[in-house]
């Protein structure tokens, strides 16, 4: 496939778009930009500073006082427009690769809608909170389903997520525990399939993406294990949710499946140098970075490294992930400014 091609042949179909995405990457906020943002006293100050960056006048037409939710919507919309511009000009196999990027957002949207309807929230209210990269036509019908089988037959069957859902049909009810099982089963199947697709592409794309997806698989396995302590999820059911395309597979996953507490999970991570260092720096005391933050930092590092190589599709995935982290950073700072709660305003994760 295309990602395994040499430079000249890769460039015939993908060179322009790779150059474009590298140009977009150069607009990612720097440490100096963040230092300016954290000094803002109001959201209007924040807006003025963002105008001097690659975001330009994206908030210029907003009437009245700014809110954090408006900033969030506008940040996402700008990212979606850039992604769709790339997707509309892509050819195979890059177009399928870009579609795979959207599937994770579709999974998140489905889980958001099911969970919201379980709590009697209106579909229109929930739809407004869905990520625009994961929107699909049948979404609004989700309020009419009450079992996973109905969910599949009414909605999922006509979406690209259908192959990932087959393991979920036999779940009985859509209660909170089973919704989490469905979410993690969908992600397991999605990550394994995306990993296989990148291996088929081969070349630098496979090298870069399989490294990134292996980390994502291992991160999910670690977090699933930690979050399962004190719940009704059995060790056997927990192990079925682990993606098998990471570096922890198979011995590390077997050890995670037997773990009973956080210290045992940490002991498993000790056997893997890049994960050991993440646990060593994590804690829940004031001033400590959480394990989640350390995992996000490692993800950022992998996605920044992606841009050091040329002639591969990984830069498209990495750009989206880095922009997602940038949006989380801006929203975190915006929330702290809006609430005048500045003590934790520096708890963002810089990218460059």
């Amino acid at each position: 496939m295309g990602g395994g091609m040499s430079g000249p042949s890769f460039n015939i179909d993908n060179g322009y778009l790779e150059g474009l995405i590298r140009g977009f990457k150069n607009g990612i906020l720097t440490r100096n930009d963040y230092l300016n943002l954290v000094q803002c006293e109001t959201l209007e100050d924040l807006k003025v500073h963002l105008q001097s960056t690659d975001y330009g006048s994206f908030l210029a037409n907003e009437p009245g006082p700014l809110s954090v939710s408006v900033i969030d919507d506008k940040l996402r919309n700008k990212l979606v427009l850039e992604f769709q511009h790339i997707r509309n000009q892509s050819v195979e196999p890059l177009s399928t690769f870009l579609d795979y990027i959207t599937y994770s957002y579709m999974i998140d949207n489905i889980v958001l809608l099911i969970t919201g309807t379980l709590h009697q929230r209106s579909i229109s209210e929930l739809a407004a909170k869905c990520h625009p990269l994961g929107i699909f036509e049948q979404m609004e019908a989700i309020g009419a389903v009450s079992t996973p089988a109905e969910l599949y037959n009414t909605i999922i069957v006509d979406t690209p997520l259908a192959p990932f859902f087959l393991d979920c049909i036999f779940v009985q009810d859509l209660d909170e525990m089973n919704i989490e099982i469905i979410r993690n089963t969908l992600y397991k199947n999605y990550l394994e399939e995306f990993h296989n697709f990148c291996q088929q592409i081969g070349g630098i794309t496979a090298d870069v993406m399989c490294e990134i997806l292996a980390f994502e698989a291992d991160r999910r396995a670690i977090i699933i294990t930690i979050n399962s302590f004190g719940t009704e999820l059995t060790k056997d059911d927990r192990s079925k949710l682990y993606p098998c395309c990471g570096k922890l597979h198979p011995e590390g996953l077997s050890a995670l499946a037997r773990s009973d507490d956080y210290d045992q999970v940490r002991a498993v991570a000790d056997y893997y140098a890049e994960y050991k260092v993440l646990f060593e720096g994590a804690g829940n005391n004031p001033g400590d970075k959480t394990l989640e933050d350390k995992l996000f930092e490692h993800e950022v590092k992998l996605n920044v490294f992606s841009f050091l190589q040329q002639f591969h599709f990984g830069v498209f995935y990495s750009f989206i992930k880095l922009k997602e982290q940038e949006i989380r950073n801006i929203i975190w700072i915006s929330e702290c400014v809006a609430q005048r709660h500045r003590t934790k305003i520096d708890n963002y994760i810089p990218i460059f």
Side-chain angles (χ1 to χ4, degrees):
M1 285 193 189
M5 295 177 181
S6 63
S9 52
F10 178 93
N11 278 341
I12 292 169
D13 285 335
N14 311 300
Y16 166 68
L17 294 179
E18 188 189 2
L20 198 60
I21 207 79
R22 287 179 184 276
F24 287 162
K25 186 268 288 186
N26 289 339
I28 288 176
L29 299 184
T30 64
R31 286 177 187 267
N32 281 339
D33 290 318
Y34 286 119
L35 290 175
N36 288 325
L37 288 179
V38 299
Q39 291 171 28
C40 294
E41 296 292 332
T42 66
L43 293 182
E44 286 296 327
D45 293 345
L46 193 110
K47 169 183 167 181
V48 169
H49 178 72
L50 287 174
Q51 283 177 344
S52 67
T53 71
D54 210 52
Y55 283 103
S57 56
F58 81 119
L59 291 168
N61 297 323
E62 289 307 311
L66 267 182
S67 67
V68 175
S69 61
V70 166
I71 295 172
D72 195 8
D73 287 344
K74 293 294 181 181
L75 290 169
R76 283 187 180 189
N77 289 342
K78 185 174 187 299
L79 175 58
V80 170
L81 286 173
E82 290 170 346
F83 178 84
Q84 288 173 340
H85 178 70
I86 297 275
R87 175 64 183 85
N88 290 341
Q89 297 188 59
S90 62
V91 296
E92 290 295 352
L94 176 57
S95 48
T96 297
F97 179 89
L98 294 172
D99 287 343
Y100 266 102
I101 293 174
T102 67
Y103 297 164
S104 64
Y105 298 103
M106 292 173 73
I107 293 170
D108 289 342
N109 285 351
I110 285 173
V111 171
L112 173 70
L113 290 168
I114 300 171
T115 307
T117 50
L118 192 66
H119 295 128
Q120 280 77 50
R121 308 277 286 280
S122 74
I123 287 291
S124 57
E125 177 194 351
L126 294 167
K129 295 182 176 179
C130 286
H131 197 290
L133 280 180
I135 301 289
F136 56 97
E137 287 178 13
Q138 306 89 334
M139 264 178 33
E140 306 261 337
I142 218 157
V145 304
S146 56
T147 67
E150 282 181 18
L151 179 63
Y152 178 79
N153 292 322
T154 310
I155 296 164
I156 306 286
V157 71
D158 294 322
T159 74
L161 300 184
F164 310 146
F165 198 85
L166 294 174
D167 295 338
C168 306
I169 292 178
F170 306 107
V171 175
Q172 292 304 305
D173 302 307
L174 287 174
D175 58 27
E176 290 206 14
M177 169 72 87
N178 285 336
I179 290 169
E180 276 306 301
I181 289 173
I182 289 171
R183 180 212 298 271
N184 287 307
T185 303
L186 287 172
Y187 259 105
K188 166 187 163 66
N189 294 338
Y190 157 68
L191 284 172
E192 290 172 356
E193 192 61 38
F194 195 5
H195 190 274
N196 287 339
F197 179 73
C198 292
Q199 284 183 319
Q200 289 168 24
I201 290 175
I204 302 171
T205 294
D207 294 343
V208 170
M209 282 304 300
C210 290
E211 174 83 7
I212 290 171
L213 294 174
F215 168 70
E216 183 57 34
D218 290 341
R219 168 165 61 179
R220 294 198 72 82
I222 289 167
I223 296 300
I224 286 167
T225 306
I226 292 170
N227 288 348
S228 72
F229 299 143
T231 70
E232 297 170 16
L233 192 66
T234 66
K235 288 182 178 179
D236 189 42
D237 286 340
R238 182 174 79 198
S239 66
K240 293 174 185 172
L241 303 177
Y242 296 156
C244 295
C245 54
K247 296 176 182 176
L248 294 177
H249 178 73
E251 291 89 352
L253 295 184
S254 298
L256 281 182
R258 296 190 298 271
S259 297
D260 292 310
D261 57 38
Y262 182 89
D263 287 337
Q264 290 180 5
V265 174
R266 180 173 179 158
V268 175
D270 280 350
Y271 288 98
Y272 301 84
E274 65 188 273
Y275 301 149
K276 178 180 181 180
V277 71
L278 300 182
F279 274 82
E280 281 175 351
N284 290 313
N285 297 319
D288 288 347
K289 288 183 178 177
T290 65
L291 177 62
E292 185 181 31
D293 284 342
K294 298 289 287 184
L295 292 167
F296 274 133
E297 285 179 354
H298 189 68
E299 180 189 32
V300 164
K301 186 167 76 171
L302 290 176
N303 285 309
V304 169
F305 285 169
S306 167
F307 283 90
L308 299 180
Q309 302 212 54
Q310 289 185 301
F311 313 127
H312 68 98
F313 294 163
V315 290
F316 298 95
Y317 178 92
S318 293
F319 171 72
I320 297 295
K321 292 300 175 182
L322 292 176
K323 289 297 282 188
E324 283 285 329
Q325 183 59 56
E326 178 173 281
I327 290 171
R328 281 193 292 271
N329 289 344
I330 295 172
I331 294 308
W332 173 264
I333 293 169
S334 300
E335 290 280 12
C336 291
V337 169
Q339 296 172 22
R340 303 193 183 285
H341 189 72
R342 306 187 67 84
T343 52
K344 294 187 177 180
I345 200 168
D346 292 320
N347 290 11
Y348 57 87
I349 296 170
I351 295 166
F352 294 117

